[in-house]
Amino acid sequence: MAEHRFLYADNAATTPLSPAALRAMEPFLTAQYGNPSSLYRLGQEARRAVEQARRDLAACLHAEPEEILFTSGGTESDNWALRAAAHRMAAQGKRRLITSSFEHPAVLHTCRALEQEGFSVTWLPVHGDGLVRPEEVESALREDTALVSIMAANNEIGTVQPVEEIGRLCRAHGVLFHTDAVQAAGNLPIDVKRWQCDLLSVSAHKFHGPKGMGLLWRRKGLELPALLTGGEQERGLRPGTENTAGIVGMAAALQDACASLPARTARLCALRDRLAEQALRLPFSRLNGSRDHRLPGTVNLSFAGTDGEQLLLLLDLQGIAVSTGSACESGSHKASHVLLALGLPEELARGSLRFSLGEDLTETDIDYMAEKLAGAVQKIRLMNPLWERIESGRIRYSVPDETF
Ligand code: PLP
């Protein structure tokens, strides 16, 4: 077989910058270097570009421009949203937070830090299908609940949560609702009004925008404590000279992603299902999380008797880039907290891979990936002294909806 090109299947970790984003950014990295706060023309041109980007981003989210606050990315937006909402509500005697056990570390660790400060956190379980149940959110609500934070789509398994229903419940009970939409933005239609959220986090590098750039959407009228102290930028809430190039690049990338969403969704779903179908022909394999409620390009698969990191390295040798889950946790050699939260035994959780596809891939690429994956799985199983016992059924793994 002819040598294959490099295949990137880790778009949930990050994406390459789109040509549109690069084109939009280039002038602000070179000739139009003005500070948006400067009063002369060079500065005012940068100001106009920042405010146009704010309007464009707001339109993509069905939001108002003044509701957009620029940040350095998803981690900052999550931290700010949770800490600001918690502290604001604590002033009203509300010190309880509700979140799920499979959030991104930016939310998980911020909730743990808030626990250390004296907030109490209810950690909702995630079911075997990788979904949070709105009725469980509702029954966890108390008089003193300040905030619910549930991600719109999970970064490791790609399951899409019922945010609209959760938003409706929170609004009805007068509780603030934050959603981490870092994986959703650019991959799902977002409508902050329909979702009835109060705070929403976005990161540009997940939808072909620049790294180190994000936004926090905050419902108009919701007063938040400032993230930093300094000048007057971002209404004095997040001061610091604006990253003009990053801001216009994020806007160009999100506009592009929203415009191409229907066609891209159809294409990615077909590629994703083609890959999953071939991978699941391997014995003792499983798809993690709901088949139906998932991001267009993301699948997470477990292969009993293997090791995700070894699989990743073997695929890398074949020019295929995938992930064992969250890039932030790779190298830690810990089983994924997301897969454990789903109820997978540790050994099976360790033998898992996430494929997050991009629209540049073809069916031929997918078939090549599936073939190389099959080879890698087989190779590792043959080296695993336990494989024979797994294959003969003497070692069995129980997961929520099956045993194998
Ligand atoms: N939230 C989710 C769901 C993510 O997938 C990520 C990135 O992996 C983040 C937050 C953090 O975003 P950033 O890399 O922009 O800090």
Side-chain angles (χ1 to χ4, degrees):
M1 195 174 181
E3 201 175 307
H4 217 88
R5 65 191 177 98
F6 171 66
L7 298 180
Y8 184 70
D10 201 14
N11 288 271
T14 195
T15 56
L17 196 66
S18 73
L22 181 59
R23 264 195 313 278
M25 294 170 76
E26 204 267 345
F28 300 98
L29 294 167
T30 51
Q32 289 183 268
Y33 51 82
N35 185 325
S37 300
S38 297
L39 296 180
Y40 42 81
R41 201 165 57 213
L42 191 68
Q44 288 314 293
E45 281 166 6
R47 167 61 56 208
R48 266 198 298 281
V50 166
E51 296 315 322
Q52 184 58 47
R54 200 187 302 276
R55 284 191 289 277
D56 294 341
L57 287 159
C60 293
L61 304 175
H62 298 265
E64 308 297 327
E66 62 267 36
E67 296 175 322
I68 306 282
L69 296 162
F70 295 122
T71 66
S72 69
T75 302
E76 182 181 321
S77 297
D78 285 344
N79 269 262
W80 189 10
L82 295 178
R83 288 173 200 274
H87 291 143
R88 179 178 183 274
M89 299 308 283
Q92 300 173 19
K94 299 189 175 190
R95 302 185 67 83
R96 186 179 299 274
L97 313 173
I98 298 175
T99 191
S100 79
S101 46
F102 82 157
E103 297 293 316
H104 187 272
V107 168
L108 280 183
H109 295 169
T110 305
C111 285
R112 286 196 193 122
L114 287 165
E115 267 182 328
Q116 297 295 313
E117 282 184 34
F119 287 88
S120 60
V121 179
T122 304
W123 302 92
L124 290 177
V126 181
H127 292 257
D129 55 9
L131 299 172
V132 171
R133 301 284 184 268
E135 57 275 20
E136 292 182 0
V137 175
E138 187 171 30
S139 58
L141 294 171
R142 302 277 178 277
E143 274 293 292
D144 63 345
T145 303
L147 174 78
V148 171
S149 180
I150 302 288
M151 69 201 320
N154 183 268
N155 48 303
E156 291 195 36
I157 57 171
T159 49
V160 174
Q161 301 302 320
V163 276
E164 207 173 319
E165 275 177 87
I166 296 171
R168 189 168 42 74
L169 290 169
C170 291
R171 189 65 54 87
H173 286 84
V175 172
L176 295 179
F177 176 41
H178 164 253
T179 188
D180 174 338
V182 168
Q183 292 291 332
N187 287 316
L188 295 175
I190 296 184
D191 183 334
V192 289
K193 296 197 181 73
R194 201 154 48 77
W195 288 11
Q196 299 193 44
C197 43
D198 298 283
L199 295 154
L200 177 139
S201 306
V202 168
S203 174
H205 73 104
K206 307 292 183 176
F207 49 82
H208 303 280
K211 291 175 182 58
M213 188 67 230
L215 66 85
L216 176 64
W217 171 82
R218 169 215 42 168
R219 179 176 52 74
K220 195 159 49 184
L222 174 65
E223 297 293 328
L224 286 188
L227 178 68
L228 303 168
T229 44
E232 282 308 309
Q233 295 94 343
E234 300 305 282
R235 299 162 182 267
L237 297 174
R238 203 279 190 181
T241 303
E242 294 88 342
N243 175 359
T244 311
I247 290 168
V248 300
M250 172 164 68
L254 192 60
Q255 279 188 305
D256 231 23
C258 291
S260 63
L261 190 59
R264 202 157 32 87
T265 300
R267 181 173 163 69
L268 285 177
C269 286
L271 293 175
R272 175 200 73 189
D273 294 345
R274 186 181 182 99
L275 177 67
E277 196 210 317
Q278 294 183 58
L280 291 170
R281 280 190 212 135
L282 296 169
F284 302 93
S285 61
R286 81 172 237 125
L287 172 72
N288 293 312
S290 161
R291 230 169 239 281
D292 306 322
H293 302 279
R294 64 173 46 258
L295 289 171
T298 305
V299 276
N300 187 305
L301 300 150
S302 295
F303 305 97
T306 69
D307 176 87
E309 284 196 3
Q310 289 177 10
L311 285 174
L312 180 158
L313 295 174
L314 285 178
L315 290 177
D316 187 34
L317 290 175
Q318 307 283 349
I320 301 169
V322 296
S323 162
T324 53
S326 151
C328 314
E329 293 199 290
S330 65
S332 63
H333 289 280
K334 282 193 287 189
S336 146
H337 74 281
V338 171
L339 297 178
L340 296 179
L342 250 62
L344 262 69
E346 202 161 322
E347 297 85 346
L348 199 55
R350 275 187 213 285
S352 304
L353 277 187
R354 174 187 70 188
F355 292 82
S356 46
L357 308 176
E359 59 267 36
D360 58 320
L361 296 170
T362 63
E363 289 186 351
T364 314
D365 294 334
I366 296 295
D367 297 348
Y368 177 83
M369 262 193 243
E371 180 197 319
K372 296 301 169 194
L373 171 68
V377 166
Q378 198 180 15
K379 196 166 185 170
I380 292 169
R381 283 177 170 171
L382 290 177
M383 290 187 305
N384 180 352
L386 296 181
W387 171 240
E388 198 231 326
R389 287 163 63 196
I390 297 170
E391 200 179 18
S392 62
R394 278 177 289 149
I395 294 180
R396 295 175 76 78
Y397 296 110
S398 278
V399 285
D401 47 357
E402 58 184 327
T403 301
F404 67 98

